[in-house]
């Protein structure tokens, strides 16, 4: 679920479709500056903890993945059980255990 719904904007490896260069989709590159799963191991424990809390919050409130992204990428949409699973994972996983799940 993370790979399909989060990594395109929050990891270094991307296969951008043609529309990714048009606004608002082009804005998704900001996502890597905020959270980059490819750099997860370099994050200190406080940043990891903050990111896990942020992941839980934005998935819970439905603000991620972004609506403009899922409009063009329907496979990235999260249904309710998927959202619940990610929120449970991000809320319950100890920070030191999260690094093994970054890729």
């Amino acid at each position: 679920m993370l790979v399909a719904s989060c990594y395109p904007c929050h990891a270094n490896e991307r296969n951008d479709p043609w529309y990714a260069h048009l606004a608002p989709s082009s804005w998704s590159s900001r996502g890597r500056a905020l959270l980059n799963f490819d750099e997860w191991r370099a994050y200190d424990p406080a940043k990891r903890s903050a990111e896990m809390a942020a992941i839980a919050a934005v998935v819970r409130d439905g603000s991620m993945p972004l609506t403009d992204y899922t409009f063009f990428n329907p496979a990235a949409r999260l249904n309710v059980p998927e959202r619940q699973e990610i929120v449970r994972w991000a809320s319950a996983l100890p920070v030191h255990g999260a690094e093994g799940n970054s890729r």
Side-chain angles (χ1 to χ4, degrees), residues 4-101:
S5 297
C6 307
Y7 279 35
C9 298
H10 294 284
N12 293 332
E13 295 177 30
R14 299 177 57 138
N15 290 323
D16 292 333
W18 64 268
Y19 54 80
H21 303 287
L22 306 173
S25 294
S26 62
W27 304 337
S28 68
S29 62
R30 290 185 353 194
R32 282 187 304 285
L34 300 171
L35 168 64
N36 189 329
F37 286 106
D38 287 320
E39 296 175 4
W40 185 264
R41 291 178 188 265
Y43 291 172
D44 64 48
K47 180 164 175 66
R48 288 183 190 170
S49 182
E51 293 301 342
M52 294 300 280
I55 291 166
V58 299
V59 171
R60 182 184 300 113
D61 73 14
S63 61
M64 287 288 159
L66 295 173
T67 303
D68 72 291
Y69 177 71
T70 59
F71 178 80
F72 287 110
N73 299 283
R77 290 185 187 128
L78 296 169
N79 60 36
V80 172
E82 290 169 333
R83 285 186 183 283
Q84 291 170 340
E85 186 175 340
I86 291 173
V87 169
R88 267 193 305 276
W89 167 79
S91 298
L93 198 62
V95 172
H96 63 277
E99 64 190 62
N101 291 316

